[in-house]
Structure formats: C-alpha cells, structure tokens
C-alpha cells in the first residue's frame, strides 16, 4: 500500500501571498489531519477532515483553511502569509476511528 | 484540556547505551502511541498500546502502558546511530484528536 504523499515537499513564499498544500492519504483512509510543526515544537493540530467534512479544528486563525475531496485527498490553504507561518506542515491519515495516524513526509514552507 | 508531558527534553548518550523516556498526563488515556521523527520527515509510528499494563516490543524498542493510564514509557536497548531523532508520545482525546507531547530529542555522542 502506498503511504501518505504530500506535495510540494518544499515551498518558498513571501509575506502576504497565499499557499495551497496537498495531501493524498493511504488508500481506504477517510480521515485526514493537518499539523503545523515549528523547530523545537511538538505538533500543533490544525484540523481534521472525515468524509469531506471538517470534524475537528485546532486553535489557528481563519487564514488557515482546508477541504477534503470525495476521493479523500485534502488540501490546506494559508492566506496572507506571515513570517511566523514558516514551518513543516504535516498531513496524516487514518481510517477514522481510534486507529493510529500515518504521516506523510511534510511540506516545508518558508515565508520570506 | 488534556496535555502530555514528555521527559527528558533531550538526551545525549553513547552508542550501545540503553535509553529510557516517559510521558505523563494529568488525565486518563485509553491509547498511548509512540512515534519517531527523523529530520525533515514526518513522524513514524513505532508502538501502539491499548491496555493498561500492556508491555509491547518492536525490535530493540519496548513500551509500556502505565497501570494508572496516566503514563507511558519507552525504552531503547543498545542504541545505534540510526536511533537519533525525536521521539513523541501521543494519545487520542474523547474526540479522537491526537494530543502530542513536545518530544524527546535523542542525540548519540560520536
């Protein structure tokens, strides 16, 4: 089974721009979660999508949004980028219950 | 809300040494997960624990689900260079959202 894939792997943007990150979950997994990780920090939960609906949301501003498509692929969007948005953005998929999450390699975003 | 406290924050060890780290919470968890993250990559699941008192091994790694359900331990025996990385504990809250510890960074002295 192919793992979780994320594109792009690396991205450089400037302040004020917007960015869209993509995540393809493991085949059959219907839940996709997004996390932000900054150096020296643990994983900060952004949101979770299950069957195209946002099921959980973390404490991030409205500039961070996401969606999930019928094939379970998910996208995350950050508008009006700030320097502090520079981070590794991780996507994880699970089959939706109490099962464990499987992570992609992440997208490293640098905001200049 | 629920929080997980991981310790130590970092460890410097010699190759061949055994390693112990733990994760504690003020509230009960029904599942404990241990992940490892290599630099620039996403976390990879090492061990999942589902029952209080459970002891599970994965090669040189052994993890235990504390009997109080408020803690978990991860041990690595005879460490090797590829053990370097950050180890995270995690557990699902009542909404099945994973709560994460801040991680234990393992560094092996040359």
């Amino acid at each position: 089974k192919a793992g979780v894939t994320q594109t792009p792997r690396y991205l450089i943007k400037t302040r004020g721009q917007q960015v869209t990150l993509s995540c393809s979950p493991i085949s059959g997994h219907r839940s996709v979660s997004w996390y932000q990780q900054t150096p020296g920090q643990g994983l900060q939960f952004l949101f979770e999508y299950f069957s195209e609906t946002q099921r959980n949301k973390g404490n991030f501003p409205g500039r961070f949004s996401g969606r999930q498509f019928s094939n379970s692929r998910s996208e995350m969007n950050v508008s009006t980028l700030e320097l502090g948005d520079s981070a590794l953005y991780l996507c994880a998929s699970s089959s939706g219950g109490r099962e464990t999450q499987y992570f992609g390699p992440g997208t490293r975003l640098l905001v200049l | 809300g629920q929080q997980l406290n991981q310790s130590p924050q970092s460890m410097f060890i010699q190759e061949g040494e055994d390693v112990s780290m733990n994760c504690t919470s003020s509230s009960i968890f029904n599942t404990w997960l241990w992940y490892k993250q290599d630099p620039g990559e996403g976390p990879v699941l090492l061990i999942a624990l589902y029952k209080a008192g459970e002891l599970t091994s994965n090669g040189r790694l052994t993890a235990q689900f504390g009997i109080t359900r408020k803690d978990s331990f991860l041990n690595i025996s005879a460490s090797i260079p590829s053990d370097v990385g950050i180890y995270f504990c995690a557990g699902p809250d009542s909404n099945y959202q994973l709560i994460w510890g801040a991680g234990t960074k393992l560094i092996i002295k040359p």
Side-chain angles (χ1 to χ4, degrees):
Chain A
K1 236 184 206 183
V4 178
T5 57
Q6 290 186 248
T7 57
R9 289 295 309 273
Y10 303 94
L11 206 49
I12 299 176
K13 291 285 188 179
T14 55
R15 275 183 301 174
Q17 285 188 310
Q18 73 156 12
V19 66
T20 299
L21 312 181
S22 180
C23 172
S24 292
I26 292 172
S27 177
H29 284 189
R30 294 163 67 191
S31 167
V32 173
S33 296
W34 288 90
Y35 294 87
Q36 181 195 66
Q37 185 179 30
T38 48
Q41 298 292 315
L43 280 68
Q44 304 297 314
F45 174 73
L46 281 155
F47 28 67
E48 181 208 2
Y49 286 86
F50 181 80
S51 294
E52 302 179 66
T53 301
Q54 188 180 85
R55 185 157 75 169
N56 273 316
K57 189 175 189 302
N59 294 324
F60 277 81
R63 299 186 296 108
F64 292 82
S65 63
R67 59 178 176 168
Q68 186 179 34
F69 302 94
S70 58
N71 62 358
S72 293
R73 190 177 70 85
S74 177
E75 286 182 348
M76 187 192 114
N77 185 275
V78 188
S79 62
T80 320
L81 283 165
E82 300 176 0
L83 295 179
D85 296 334
S86 295
L88 181 68
Y89 289 89
L90 293 161
C91 160
S93 77
S94 73
S95 45
R98 58 182 288 183
E99 292 84 354
T100 54
Q101 295 184 353
Y102 297 87
F103 284 82
T107 294
R108 186 164 295 282
L109 172 66
L110 178 62
V111 182
L112 301 175
Chain B
Q2 289 175 297
Q3 286 186 324
L4 293 180
N5 301 305
Q6 258 187 275
S7 65
Q9 202 170 22
S10 59
M11 301 180 75
F12 289 81
I13 59 168
Q14 298 275 9
E15 185 177 345
E17 283 184 354
D18 294 344
V19 172
S20 289
M21 60 189 78
N22 69 78
C23 196
T24 60
S25 170
S26 58
S27 51
I28 287 172
F29 279 81
N30 291 317
T31 299
W32 286 93
L33 307 169
W34 285 94
Y35 285 83
K36 182 195 176 201
Q37 185 177 27
D38 291 325
E41 298 294 329
V44 173
L45 180 66
L46 298 173
I47 294 177
L49 302 160
Y50 298 108
K51 284 185 191 176
E54 181 181 355
L55 189 71
T56 298
S57 293
N58 178 4
R60 293 176 297 104
L61 277 62
T62 302
Q64 183 162 25
F65 192 140
I67 199 73
T68 65
R69 294 190 177 181
K70 293 184 178 180
D71 56 12
S72 180
F73 305 87
L74 177 69
N75 296 313
I76 305 172
S77 62
S79 56
I80 60 177
S82 62
D83 291 335
V84 162
I86 304 176
Y87 292 80
F88 291 101
C89 62
D93 66 12
S94 55
N95 293 321
Y96 298 115
Q97 174 186 324
L98 279 187
I99 308 298
W100 292 79
T104 293
K105 189 171 186 177
L106 188 62
I107 301 157
I108 295 187
K109 298 180 220 177

